[in-house]
Amino acid sequence: MRTFVDVAGDDAASTRYRVLAAVRDHGPLSRADLARTTGLAASTITAVTKALAAEGVLSEAEELAEQAVRTGPRGRGLVVDPSLASVAGVDFGFRTVRVAICDLHARVLVTRESRLTERYSSHEGRSVAARLYREAVAAVPAGQGEVVTVGVALPGPIDSGGQRVIGSSVLPGWAETTGAELTAAFGVDAVIENDANLAALGEHTFGAGRDVADSLTVKFHSGIGAGLIVRDRLIGGAGSGEIGHFAVAAEGAVCRCGKRGCLDTFASIPALLAAVAVERNEVELRDVLRATAAGDARTTRIVGDAAELVGDAASRACLLFAPQRVILVGAMADAGDAVLEPFARALRRGLLPEAATPPEIVRGALAERSTVMGAVALALTASGWLAAGG
Ligand SMILES: [Zn+2]
């Protein structure tokens, strides 16, 4: 396996470690920049970089075209060779699972996606994902290094430190699933984290939040969740960001979590499908998005009211830490202005009227890949190839 420590060694004071860490964190770097950054002598830099280039660890970056989505270092100079190793992201979503394999610059090499039955169990989810993962690995171009870590997004409360799913009500069938079980399924180190947290990490690292230090990402999806980035770091912890369980009505239905009147019982995708389906039989999410795009009055009202509730919940989260940007992601963000406009209106209404710098309110830049790219960022961080908070 070629994690950062496997390649750099575990002595952070060694010249090899210092040079590799500087290139990882600040690359592309010229040899002169590298000497300035590390404080090492030019002759030492020359010797170390020559050895690392001969091993295929460092390479010269070509000038990359400006991209809307930055996934690799830009400019000329030395970079960590992207083909040295790979990482994978796995996103367990609403009835689907998505797998992406990326190089060390987070460029997507292969993706695979499969449908799952509604309320799929941990066993079904793991076996389908492991099959997709094996297919994806088989399709990775020759010469690309092996996957060192898999980041896994799950739509429920996660104890990140203990690497286990908390409870059983929000994610039925996944109670007490652990990172170790995912490691066994994929045959490579796996790290689990909540899906909204990873959507926030994905947008912060590669998407709409990459140029601000403090952002709130709201995932409007099978459940409603939020991920907080504060001073470039994901605020994790057991069950953080669960705004879907903010109470919005004292007389509402009892939520899957056991509380009454949670936001999820009004605005999650299952709740929206149930609300739209009153006069029809089965309704799919794509029917709801299509009817909203066509301006169907009833569906637009249901979706707009839900978006207002989500925006109001987001405003309460904003009052706690005043983010510079609020990023809306998830399948309902695909409805465009029919969702973004009522979401933003309710969010602004909930902020302090005299707020000096209200947050910008934008849609995510990674579309349906926010979460899986967050899982990729988690895998890069866990394997040491992306500095935490970078
Ligand atoms: Zn709840």
Side-chain angles (χ1 to χ4, degrees), residues 170 242 244-246 254-265:
V170 176
E242 294 285 348
H245 303 283
F246 277 4
V254 173
C255 178
R256 55 192 173 145
C257 75
K259 298 203 308 167
R260 187 178 288 284
C262 292
L263 175 61
D264 262 15
T265 65

Side-chain angles (χ1 to χ4, degrees), residues 121-182:
S121 67
S122 169
H123 182 266
E124 178 192 349
R126 275 181 293 163
S127 67
V128 172
R131 176 177 54 76
L132 280 188
Y133 171 76
R134 285 192 297 272
E135 285 175 19
V137 165
V140 169
Q144 176 66 31
E146 285 183 15
V147 173
V148 286
T149 309
V150 183
V152 181
L154 292 170
I158 307 288
D159 171 2
S160 319
Q163 283 291 292
R164 62 183 185 90
V165 174
I166 301 168
S168 60
S169 56
V170 176
L171 203 53
W174 285 77
E176 300 301 321
T177 297
T178 61
E181 287 172 282
L182 275 307

